[in-house]
C-alpha cells in the first residue's frame, strides 16, 4: 500500500533514528549534504520524491526546467561556479534518457553531479513496464559511479556515497536510480557522511622522489612552459599556481577549461592552447625543453598530432587521476596527487629564477598574432560586425569581472579568446564533449549559483535553438542572465571547416532562423537587435543596465572565421594564421 509522505517540522538529527519513508529520506539526505538548490522535472516514477520535497521548499529550492537536458546543464553551471555538487531530479524512461547528454558532458569535463532518477517498482524491472529503461546500463560508461536503489533502507548510505564519490578525487557525475517502491518503503533514518569505500582511493599521497625529480628538471630547464588545466580550479590551487610561477618565472598557457585559473593580465600568462588558441603557446610548445602539465589531460585539441607534439621537451605531469598519466603523452616525471598538495612541494624546492628572454619570445609571437588576427577582429575596418568585437565590448563594460558562459561553436572560441578575467571560476563552457545547447541552461545555473556576479552567456543561432525552451526557466526564476546571441545564420564552425577543407560546399549549414525577438517577447524577456556598429555600444549599455534577464541579438558577418587554427592531424607548429 502506498504511504503518503508526512511533513516534518525540523531536519533529522543524523545520530538519531527517525521513522520515515524513502522519499523523505532522499530529501533529508540532501539537506544533510548541505544542498539548498536543485534542478529537475517531475514525472510518475519520481513523483513520491517531489511530494516529499513539497514539505521542504523553505529549505530546498527546486528549479523547474523545461527539459531534462536543461536540468543537467544547469546543475553543471551551478557546480562549476560554486565548487559544490550540482543536483538534479529526473523521472524514469525518457526523463532519464533526456539527461544522458548532460551526464556525459559532466563526465568528460569532471563536473561533480548527483543525478537522482525515479524508476519503476522493483517487481516490474525487466518487464518493459511503462517508462522503464535500463538507466544503470545506459549511464554506466558515462558516470563515475551509478547504483540502483531497490530498498528504502539503502537510500541514506547510497546518497552519502554518491556525494562523496562525486566531489572527491577527480570529480564527476553519479547517478542513483531509485525504484518507486523504495521511495514509498519505510525505514529508520540516520545519516552519516563518514563514508569509507575499500575499493575507492580518491587521491594518492604525493611521492617525494617524483617531486625531487620534477624540481631537478625545472631547475635545469632553459625554456620551460606550464600548461594550466581545470585541475587547478577543481583542486582550489590557484594561489599555489601563482606562487609557483612567480618563483620560477615560468610562462603559463591554459586549456579551454583552465581559463580563469590565472588572471588574464598576469605577466606570465601567455595565452590559450589548442586548435583555436594563441599563436605563441602553440608554436613555442615544440621549442620548449620542458612541459609542466598541471591538472590537464593532453586533449587532442591541445596536442594536435601527438607524434609531433613537444618533440624537444621532457614532460612533467601533475595529475590527480592516475589513468591520465601516459594515456596520450608520455610523462618523464609523473606527479600523481592533488595539485594543491604537489605544487607547494615543488615550489618550496625549486630555484628562484626568471625566464625573461624566453617570455619575450612569446610576446614576439603575440605581436604577429595581434597584427594579423586580433586587431582586424577586434577593431575591424570592414562594414560587418565581427564576433570578436562584440566580445571585446561586453567584457570591457563589465571591467573584465563577469562570469562567461558559452554554448559551443565559433562564439565559444571567440569568447574564450577575447573575454578577460580577474577571478577564478569565471568560465563555464562545454569542453570535451562540445555540447551544443549547453550555454543557456548552464548560464541559468551559474547565475543562481553566484547571484551577486553578472553572467554573460554567448550563444550562436544554432546552439540556442537546441535548448531555447529554457528561456522559460530563466523567466520563471527571474535570473538576470545577459544572453548575447551572435547570429550569422549558419552553423558557423561547421561552415568554417566546409570553407577551408571542403571547397566551400556548405552542405546543410545555412540556417533559416526564426524571429528571436518575437520568441524572447513570448517568454517575457526584454530584448533588442543590432546589425550596425554605431548601435552596438548603446545596446550593450541597455542590456547591462536592465534589471533582469535580457537577450541581445547581434547580426554578425556570415562568413567570419576563427583564427589561429591548427588543422586536424597537424602539428601545433603548423598553426594557421589565415
Amino acid at each position: 500500500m502506498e504511504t503518503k509522505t508526512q511533513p516534518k517540522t525540523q531536519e533529522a538529527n543524523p545520530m538519531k533514528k527517525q521513522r520515515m519513508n524513502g522519499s523523505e529520506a532522499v530529501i533529508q539526505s540532501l539537506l544533510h549534504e548541505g544542498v539548498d538548490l536543485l534542478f529537475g522535472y517531475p514525472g510518475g516514477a519520481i513523483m513520491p520524491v517531489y511530494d516529499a520535497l513539497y514539505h521542504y521548499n523553505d529549505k530546498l529550492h527546486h528549479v523547474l526546467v523545461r527539459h531534462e537536458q536543461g536540468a543537467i546543464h544547469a546543475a553543471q553551471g551551478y557546480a562549476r561556479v560554486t565548487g559544490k555538487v550540482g543536483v538534479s531530479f529526473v523521472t524514469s524512461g525518457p526523463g532519464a534518457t533526456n539527461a544522458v547528454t548532460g551526464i556525459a558532458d559532466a563526465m568528460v569535463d569532471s563536473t561533480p553531479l548527483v543525478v537522482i532518477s525515479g524508476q519503476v517498482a522493483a517487481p516490474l524491472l525487466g518487464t518493459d513496464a511503462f517508462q522503464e529503461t535500463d538507466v544503470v546500463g545506459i549511464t554506466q560508461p558515462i558516470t563515475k559511479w551509478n547504483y540502483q536503489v531497490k530498498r528504502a533502507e539503502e537510500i541514506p548510505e547510497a546518497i552519502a556515497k554518491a556525494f562523496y564519490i562525486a566531489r572527491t578525487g577527480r570529480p564527476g557525475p553519479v547517478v542513483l536510480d531509485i525504484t518507486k517502491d523504495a521511495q514509498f518503503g519505510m525505514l529508520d533514518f540516520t545519516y552519516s557522511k563518514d563514508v569509507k569505500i575499500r575499493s575507492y582511493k580518491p587521491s594518492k599521497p604525493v611521492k617525494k622522489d617524483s617531486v625531487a625529480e620534477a624540481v631537478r628538471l625545472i631547475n635545469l630547464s632553459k625554456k620551460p612552459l606550464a600548461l594550466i588545466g581545470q585541475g587547478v580550479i577543481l583542486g582550489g590551487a590557484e594561489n599555489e599556481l601563482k606562487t609557483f610561477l612567480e618563483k620560477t618565472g615560468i610562462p603559463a598557457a591554459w586549456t579551454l577549461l583552465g581559463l580563469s585559473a590565472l588572471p588574464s593580465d598576469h605577466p606570465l600568462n601567455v595565452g590559450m592552447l589548442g586548435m583555436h588558441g594563441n599563436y605563441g603557446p602553440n608554436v613555442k610548445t615544440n621549442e620548449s625543453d620542458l612541459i609542466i602539465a598541471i591538472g590537464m589531460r593532453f586533449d587532442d585539441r591541445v596536442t594536435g598530432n601527438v607524434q609531433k607534439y613537444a618533440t624537444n621537451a621532457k614532460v612533467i605531469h601533475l595529475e590527480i587521476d592516475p589513468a591520465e598519466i601516459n594515456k596520450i603523452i608520455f610523462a618523464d616525471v609523473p606527479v600523481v596527487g592533488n595539485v594543491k598538495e604537489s605544487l607547494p612541494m615543488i615550489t618550496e624546492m625549486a630555484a628562484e629564477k626568471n625566464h625573461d628572454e624566453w617570455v619575450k619570445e612569446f610576446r614576439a609571437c603575440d605581436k604577429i598574432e595581434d597584427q594579423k588576427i586580433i586587431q582586424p577582429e577586434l577593431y575591424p575596418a570592414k562594414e560587418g560586425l565581427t564576433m570578436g568585437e562584440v566580445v571585446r565590448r561586453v567584457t570591457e563594460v563589465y571591467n573584465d569581472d563577469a562570469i562567461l558562459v558559452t554554448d559551443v561553436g565559433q562564439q565559444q572560441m571567440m569568447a574564450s579568446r577575447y573575454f578577460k578575467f580577474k577571478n577564478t571560476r569565471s568560465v563555464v563552457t562545454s569542453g570535451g564533449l562540445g555540447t551544443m545547447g549547453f550555454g543557456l541552461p548552464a548560464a541559468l545555473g551559474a547565475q543562481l549559483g553566484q547571484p551577486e556576479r553578472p553572467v554573460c552567456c554567448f550563444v550562436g543561432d544554432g546552439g540556442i535553438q537546441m535548448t531555447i525552451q529554457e528561456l522559460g526557466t530563466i523567466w520563471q526564476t527571474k535570473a538576470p542572465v545577459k544572453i548575447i546571441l551572435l547570429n550569422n545564420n549558419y552553423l558557423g564552425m561547421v561552415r568554417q571547416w566546409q570553407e577551408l577543407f571542403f571547397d566551400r560546399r556548405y552542405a546543410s549549414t545555412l540556417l533559416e532562423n526564426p524571429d528571436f525577438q518575437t520568441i524572447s517577447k513570448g517568454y517575457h524577456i526584454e530584448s533588442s537587435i543590432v546589425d550596425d556598429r554605431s548601435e552596438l555600444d548603446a545596446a550593450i549599455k541597455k542590456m547591462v543596465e536592465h534589471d533582469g534577464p535580457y537577450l541581445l541579438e547581434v547580426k554578425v558577418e556570415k562568413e567570419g572565421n576563427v583564427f589561429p587554427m591548427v588543422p586536424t592531424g597537424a602539428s601545433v607548429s603548423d598553426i594557421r594564421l589565415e
Side-chain angles (χ1 to χ4, degrees):
M1 180 177 178
E2 294 187 351
T3 305
K4 187 176 180 181
T5 303
Q6 296 299 316
K8 302 294 181 182
T9 57
Q10 59 183 9
E11 296 175 31
N13 184 325
M15 303 307 294
K16 182 180 179 180
K17 291 183 178 180
Q18 283 187 299
R19 191 70 176 168
M20 63 181 66
N21 66 21
S23 296
E24 187 172 1
V26 170
I27 304 303
Q28 287 283 2
S29 298
L30 296 180
L31 291 173
H32 283 303
E33 289 292 342
V35 178
D36 57 8
L37 179 67
L38 58 90
F39 306 85
Y41 203 98
I46 195 70
M47 202 177 300
V49 172
Y50 272 89
D51 186 58
L53 177 64
Y54 179 84
H55 302 292
Y56 290 88
N57 56 20
D58 59 332
K59 298 184 178 71
L60 187 54
H61 180 59
H62 176 270
V63 175
L64 175 63
V65 297
R66 301 307 187 259
H67 189 282
E68 289 87 356
Q69 182 178 346
I72 309 301
H73 292 331
Q76 288 177 273
Y78 174 86
R80 294 269 284 273
V81 300
T82 64
K84 300 177 182 179
V85 177
V87 181
S88 297
F89 286 169
V90 297
T91 195
S92 64
T97 57
N98 282 346
V100 165
T101 296
I103 295 168
D105 191 285
M107 184 65 178
V108 178
D109 284 353
S110 304
T111 305
L113 299 182
V114 170
V115 180
I116 295 176
S117 60
Q119 183 55 277
V120 301
L124 295 176
L125 291 171
T127 69
D128 293 328
F130 177 67
Q131 291 193 332
E132 180 198 359
T133 56
D134 181 5
V135 174
V136 172
I138 290 170
T139 61
Q140 191 276 331
I142 56 170
T143 51
K144 196 175 174 187
W145 180 60
N146 68 2
Y147 183 70
Q148 189 170 73
V149 178
K150 299 178 183 178
R151 296 184 303 113
E153 296 91 332
E154 297 180 279
I155 288 173
E157 183 180 3
I159 290 179
K161 284 184 178 179
F163 276 84
Y164 175 67
I165 291 171
R167 68 162 64 100
T168 56
R170 180 180 179 176
V174 170
V175 169
L176 292 180
D177 192 44
I178 306 179
T179 63
K180 197 168 184 178
D181 50 336
Q183 297 172 47
F184 280 120
M186 302 300 292
L187 74 154
D188 292 322
F189 179 86
T190 59
Y191 198 81
S192 174
K193 293 185 182 181
D194 187 19
V195 176
K196 291 183 175 63
I197 304 172
R198 184 170 58 183
S199 61
Y200 175 60
K201 306 296 180 186
S203 184
K204 295 184 177 181
V206 179
K207 293 181 178 180
K208 293 183 178 178
D209 57 344
S210 295
V211 170
E213 180 60 14
V215 170
R216 186 185 73 84
L217 291 181
I218 289 169
N219 289 345
L220 289 173
S221 175
K222 303 298 183 185
K223 292 186 173 184
L225 176 60
L227 312 183
I228 311 306
Q230 190 188 199
V232 172
I233 297 170
L234 295 174
E238 295 91 342
N239 289 333
E240 288 80 0
L241 172 68
K242 285 179 65 177
T243 302
F244 165 73
L245 296 175
E246 289 166 2
K247 181 179 181 181
T248 60
I250 296 174
W254 33 268
T255 68
L256 180 63
L257 295 186
L259 183 55
S260 84
L262 192 66
S264 301
D265 61 358
H266 193 283
L268 291 171
N269 188 335
V270 294
M272 184 168 74
L273 296 160
M275 178 173 282
H276 292 290
N278 293 108
Y279 182 55
N282 277 293
V283 169
K284 295 300 174 183
T285 292
N286 279 355
E287 297 178 25
S288 171
D289 61 10
L290 179 65
I291 296 293
I292 308 159
I294 307 175
M296 56 87 72
R297 60 186 181 88
F298 289 109
D299 176 78
D300 62 284
R301 286 300 193 260
V302 166
T303 64
N305 186 332
V306 294
Q307 304 302 321
K308 300 178 180 180
Y309 180 78
T311 50
N312 298 313
K314 296 284 188 181
V315 175
I316 300 170
H317 196 174
L318 281 67
E319 173 60 49
I320 199 168
D321 185 357
E324 293 296 340
I325 302 293
N326 297 330
K327 187 172 82 173
I328 297 171
I329 298 296
F330 174 77
D332 297 277
V333 182
V335 183
V336 179
N338 192 324
V339 295
K340 192 173 181 67
E341 180 183 354
S342 58
L343 264 179
M345 295 171 68
I346 292 173
T347 303
E348 182 180 2
M349 298 171 62
E352 189 166 345
K353 299 175 71 174
N354 72 65
H355 292 279
D356 292 346
E357 294 304 313
W358 172 229
V359 172
K360 285 179 182 177
E361 294 186 32
F362 287 88
R363 300 311 174 201
C365 290
D366 291 346
K367 291 180 180 179
I368 295 172
E369 182 178 350
D370 188 68
Q371 179 182 0
K372 290 194 171 185
I373 296 171
I374 296 176
Q375 289 297 317
E377 180 68 34
L378 299 191
Y379 304 94
K382 52 191 171 185
E383 183 176 337
L385 283 161
T386 68
M387 291 187 181
E389 70 175 308
V390 179
V391 173
R392 174 185 66 84
R393 295 194 189 192
V394 172
T395 191
E396 288 175 351
V397 167
Y398 283 106
N399 195 26
D400 301 339
D401 199 23
I403 292 173
L404 168 69
V405 182
T406 82
D407 208 89
V408 168
Q410 286 184 315
Q411 40 72 35
Q412 177 188 33
M413 294 296 101
M414 287 295 192
S416 300
R417 283 176 53 81
Y418 299 120
F419 216 81
K420 304 300 179 184
F421 306 95
K422 295 178 180 177
N423 297 302
T424 188
R425 291 194 178 274
S426 292
V427 180
V428 181
T429 192
S430 173
L433 200 64
T435 304
M436 291 179 68
F438 175 88
L440 208 58
L444 166 69
Q447 186 70 83
L448 295 179
Q450 292 285 0
E452 303 304 316
R453 295 191 65 191
V455 171
C456 297
C457 178
F458 282 86
V459 293
D461 46 314
I464 192 175
Q465 293 185 75
M466 291 194 170
T467 53
I468 198 167
Q469 69 276 358
E470 299 309 330
L471 288 173
T473 316
I474 290 172
W475 166 247
Q476 187 168 349
T477 60
K478 304 298 187 290
V481 177
K482 309 307 182 190
I483 306 156
I484 301 95
L485 167 58
L486 301 179
N487 185 353
N488 59 8
N489 289 103
Y490 271 110
L491 298 176
M493 189 60 83
V494 182
R495 185 215 57 77
Q496 176 170 335
W497 281 57
Q498 290 172 334
E499 175 185 338
L500 298 177
F501 307 115
F502 293 88
D503 295 327
R504 291 181 179 267
R505 293 187 294 275
Y506 295 160
S508 302
T509 47
L510 178 65
L511 287 170
E512 295 292 341
N513 285 322
D515 184 339
F516 292 109
Q517 299 299 300
T518 300
I519 291 174
S520 184
K521 182 178 180 181
Y523 281 109
H524 311 288
I525 292 176
E526 290 291 324
S527 67
S528 59
I529 185 169
V530 172
D531 60 6
D532 189 277
R533 184 167 290 115
S534 64
E535 303 169 349
L536 183 60
D537 287 339
I540 292 174
K541 184 175 185 290
K542 183 179 179 182
M543 175 188 74
V544 171
E545 292 177 350
H546 180 72
D547 184 18
Y550 195 95
L551 173 69
L552 173 60
E553 179 183 359
V554 184
K555 295 278 192 176
V556 295
E557 57 181 346
K558 286 191 171 185
E559 296 188 38
N561 289 329
V562 186
F563 284 108
M565 180 178 184
V566 179
T568 300
S571 164
V572 290
S573 298
D574 297 327
I575 187 168
R576 291 178 55 170
L577 295 175
E578 56 187 14

mmCIF file of all heavy atoms in Angstrom, residues 62 74 120 154 172 183 187 247 287 350 375 404 422 437 465 493:
data_model
loop_
_atom_site.group_PDB
_atom_site.id
_atom_site.type_symbol
_atom_site.label_atom_id
_atom_site.label_comp_id
_atom_site.label_asym_id
_atom_site.label_seq_id
_atom_site.Cartn_x
_atom_site.Cartn_y
_atom_site.Cartn_z
ATOM 1 N N HIS A 62 13.760 24.185 -5.505
ATOM 2 C CA HIS A 62 13.762 23.405 -6.732
ATOM 3 C C HIS A 62 13.490 24.320 -7.924
ATOM 4 O O HIS A 62 12.581 25.143 -7.899
ATOM 5 C CB HIS A 62 12.687 22.323 -6.664
ATOM 6 C CG HIS A 62 12.553 21.522 -7.928
ATOM 7 N ND1 HIS A 62 11.708 21.871 -8.958
ATOM 8 C CD2 HIS A 62 13.176 20.386 -8.326
ATOM 9 C CE1 HIS A 62 11.810 20.986 -9.932
ATOM 10 N NE2 HIS A 62 12.682 20.069 -9.580
ATOM 11 N N ALA A 74 22.139 22.955 -16.210
ATOM 12 C CA ALA A 74 22.006 23.980 -15.178
ATOM 13 C C ALA A 74 22.763 23.564 -13.925
ATOM 14 O O ALA A 74 23.453 24.378 -13.289
ATOM 15 C CB ALA A 74 20.532 24.224 -14.858
ATOM 16 N N VAL A 120 10.748 2.501 -12.204
ATOM 17 C CA VAL A 120 9.551 1.701 -11.929
ATOM 18 C C VAL A 120 9.792 0.819 -10.713
ATOM 19 O O VAL A 120 10.932 0.587 -10.303
ATOM 20 C CB VAL A 120 9.166 0.844 -13.151
ATOM 21 C CG1 VAL A 120 8.896 1.730 -14.362
ATOM 22 C CG2 VAL A 120 10.255 -0.190 -13.468
ATOM 23 N N GLU A 154 18.374 1.489 1.887
ATOM 24 C CA GLU A 154 19.641 1.781 1.207
ATOM 25 C C GLU A 154 19.837 3.261 0.912
ATOM 26 O O GLU A 154 20.954 3.691 0.612
ATOM 27 C CB GLU A 154 19.703 1.028 -0.124
ATOM 28 C CG GLU A 154 19.696 -0.476 -0.043
ATOM 29 C CD GLU A 154 19.750 -1.076 -1.430
ATOM 30 O OE1 GLU A 154 18.695 -1.145 -2.092
ATOM 31 O OE2 GLU A 154 20.856 -1.447 -1.872
ATOM 32 N N GLY A 172 33.161 14.104 -10.720
ATOM 33 C CA GLY A 172 32.392 13.600 -11.840
ATOM 34 C C GLY A 172 30.952 13.336 -11.460
ATOM 35 O O GLY A 172 30.560 13.498 -10.304
ATOM 36 N N GLN A 183 10.948 4.310 -2.816
ATOM 37 C CA GLN A 183 10.550 5.662 -2.400
ATOM 38 C C GLN A 183 9.389 5.628 -1.419
ATOM 39 O O GLN A 183 9.281 6.478 -0.534
ATOM 40 C CB GLN A 183 10.168 6.482 -3.636
ATOM 41 C CG GLN A 183 11.306 6.708 -4.628
ATOM 42 C CD GLN A 183 10.814 7.348 -5.911
ATOM 43 O OE1 GLN A 183 10.057 8.317 -5.885
ATOM 44 N NE2 GLN A 183 11.246 6.800 -7.055
ATOM 45 N N LEU A 187 11.682 3.283 6.570
ATOM 46 C CA LEU A 187 12.990 2.999 7.148
ATOM 47 C C LEU A 187 13.189 3.820 8.414
ATOM 48 O O LEU A 187 12.503 4.827 8.630
ATOM 49 C CB LEU A 187 14.118 3.309 6.164
ATOM 50 C CG LEU A 187 14.445 4.795 5.903
ATOM 51 C CD1 LEU A 187 15.904 4.930 5.472
ATOM 52 C CD2 LEU A 187 13.523 5.404 4.872
ATOM 53 N N LYS A 247 57.744 32.335 -8.555
ATOM 54 C CA LYS A 247 59.072 31.987 -8.038
ATOM 55 C C LYS A 247 59.976 31.472 -9.150
ATOM 56 O O LYS A 247 61.166 31.825 -9.215
ATOM 57 C CB LYS A 247 58.959 30.939 -6.931
ATOM 58 C CG LYS A 247 60.310 30.563 -6.329
ATOM 59 C CD LYS A 247 60.200 29.549 -5.204
ATOM 60 C CE LYS A 247 61.584 29.236 -4.626
ATOM 61 N NZ LYS A 247 61.519 28.234 -3.536
ATOM 62 N N GLU A 287 59.265 24.237 -29.164
ATOM 63 C CA GLU A 287 60.590 24.803 -28.896
ATOM 64 C C GLU A 287 60.953 24.689 -27.422
ATOM 65 O O GLU A 287 62.104 24.919 -27.044
ATOM 66 C CB GLU A 287 60.622 26.268 -29.332
ATOM 67 C CG GLU A 287 60.398 26.462 -30.828
ATOM 68 C CD GLU A 287 60.398 27.933 -31.217
ATOM 69 O OE1 GLU A 287 61.010 28.739 -30.480
ATOM 70 O OE2 GLU A 287 59.784 28.272 -32.245
ATOM 71 N N ALA A 350 62.090 24.390 -5.577
ATOM 72 C CA ALA A 350 62.555 24.930 -6.856
ATOM 73 C C ALA A 350 63.404 26.179 -6.654
ATOM 74 O O ALA A 350 63.187 26.958 -5.721
ATOM 75 C CB ALA A 350 61.357 25.242 -7.758
ATOM 76 N N GLN A 375 43.807 42.496 -34.153
ATOM 77 C CA GLN A 375 43.369 43.845 -34.499
ATOM 78 C C GLN A 375 42.266 43.847 -35.557
ATOM 79 O O GLN A 375 41.257 44.549 -35.403
ATOM 80 C CB GLN A 375 44.568 44.684 -34.961
ATOM 81 C CG GLN A 375 45.541 45.044 -33.843
ATOM 82 C CD GLN A 375 44.899 45.906 -32.766
ATOM 83 O OE1 GLN A 375 44.153 46.836 -33.046
ATOM 84 N NE2 GLN A 375 45.197 45.588 -31.501
ATOM 85 N N LEU A 404 31.698 34.218 -17.628
ATOM 86 C CA LEU A 404 31.436 33.908 -19.021
ATOM 87 C C LEU A 404 30.856 32.500 -19.136
ATOM 88 O O LEU A 404 31.455 31.544 -18.634
ATOM 89 C CB LEU A 404 32.725 33.993 -19.844
ATOM 90 C CG LEU A 404 32.661 33.429 -21.262
ATOM 91 C CD1 LEU A 404 31.775 34.293 -22.146
ATOM 92 C CD2 LEU A 404 34.061 33.299 -21.867
ATOM 93 N N LYS A 422 39.500 38.420 -14.117
ATOM 94 C CA LYS A 422 40.269 38.760 -12.925
ATOM 95 C C LYS A 422 40.196 37.660 -11.881
ATOM 96 O O LYS A 422 41.114 37.496 -11.071
ATOM 97 C CB LYS A 422 39.744 40.064 -12.314
ATOM 98 C CG LYS A 422 39.937 41.292 -13.182
ATOM 99 C CD LYS A 422 39.349 42.526 -12.520
ATOM 100 C CE LYS A 422 39.544 43.767 -13.378
ATOM 101 N NZ LYS A 422 38.907 44.969 -12.762
ATOM 102 N N GLY A 437 23.789 23.605 -27.224
ATOM 103 C CA GLY A 437 22.654 23.690 -26.322
ATOM 104 C C GLY A 437 23.045 23.815 -24.871
ATOM 105 O O GLY A 437 22.199 24.029 -24.000
ATOM 106 N N GLN A 465 18.953 27.209 -30.264
ATOM 107 C CA GLN A 465 17.684 26.578 -30.620
ATOM 108 C C GLN A 465 17.581 25.139 -30.102
ATOM 109 O O GLN A 465 16.505 24.544 -30.128
ATOM 110 C CB GLN A 465 17.489 26.629 -32.134
ATOM 111 C CG GLN A 465 17.293 28.049 -32.636
ATOM 112 C CD GLN A 465 16.976 28.116 -34.106
ATOM 113 O OE1 GLN A 465 15.864 27.806 -34.533
ATOM 114 N NE2 GLN A 465 17.961 28.522 -34.909
ATOM 115 N N MET A 493 30.811 27.002 -37.064
ATOM 116 C CA MET A 493 32.055 26.245 -37.005
ATOM 117 C C MET A 493 32.099 25.173 -38.092
ATOM 118 O O MET A 493 33.145 24.942 -38.711
ATOM 119 C CB MET A 493 32.228 25.610 -35.628
ATOM 120 C CG MET A 493 33.599 24.991 -35.416
ATOM 121 S SD MET A 493 34.952 26.183 -35.572
ATOM 122 C CE MET A 493 34.952 26.895 -33.924
#
